[in-house]
Amino acid sequence: DFPGGFPGDKHNAFSHMSRTVAEEKAFICVHNLLYLRRDHPALRQGNYIHIFSDDRTFVYLRDFSGENTGQAPERLLMVMNNADQPRTVEINVGDTLLASATAVTKLWAINDATLKPGEKITLALPARSLSIYSVK
């Protein structure tokens, strides 16, 4: 719950001056994610393609062709780690749309991805995190 915004609320986290440190951190994170969504059509209109999942990790691709939109095509790799600890994940890409990838660049991530073209992508994921990579 993000406090404030209603008449009578004693604490209003919608005002910069009223936010706690934790509220400011959450506000900035959501703010940045909204701008990321605005700037990347794959996040709004891209097809969802499941790549990999297990009990702690979920990986999917947002594939935007750009066809009939006047916008450039875009592929984004979305990676969620729900584990309480960091982990490294290797994704076999041979039978996916990622098989033709020539570069994987961090867009919203702490760590770089390592690509072995046509074979695998290796990702070092922080605990309880979302990482987004641009795929060329």
Side-chain angles (χ1 to χ4, degrees):
D1 185 30
F2 207 72
F6 296 98
D9 284 347
K10 291 184 176 24
H11 179 68
N12 183 6
F14 289 93
S15 167
H16 173 71
M17 299 302 291
S18 300
R19 290 184 203 125
T20 65
V21 171
E23 289 166 347
E24 181 69 11
K25 185 177 176 182
F27 183 88
I28 289 170
C29 181
V30 170
H31 180 265
N32 290 339
L33 283 171
L34 288 171
Y35 274 100
L36 193 67
R37 184 179 186 275
R38 180 197 69 185
D39 295 341
H40 293 275
L43 293 174
R44 297 185 314 275
Q45 301 167 319
N47 291 323
Y48 162 88
I49 301 164
H50 178 266
I51 300 295
F52 168 81
S53 61
D54 62 20
D55 62 334
R56 298 168 291 172
T57 309
F58 185 54
V59 181
Y60 63 97
L61 193 64
R62 292 299 302 258
D63 184 44
F64 176 69
S65 70
E67 193 173 306
N68 300 321
T69 68
Q71 297 176 348
E74 179 178 52
R75 281 189 177 154
L76 299 180
L77 185 65
M78 316 292 290
V79 186
M80 291 175 248
N81 178 20
N82 196 36
D84 291 328
Q85 61 281 338
R87 70 183 298 216
T88 298
V89 176
E90 284 189 357
I91 303 165
N92 295 321
V93 299
D95 62 347
T96 71
L97 286 178
L98 296 170
S100 62
T102 57
V104 180
T105 308
K106 64 182 177 181
L107 187 61
W108 174 276
I110 292 173
N111 300 312
D112 290 324
T114 302
L115 171 66
K116 188 169 184 182
E119 292 183 34
K120 67 181 177 180
I121 297 172
T122 304
L123 304 161
L125 306 172
R128 300 269 181 195
S129 65
L130 165 67
S131 300
I132 304 173
Y133 298 88
S134 176
V135 179
K136 299 291 181 200

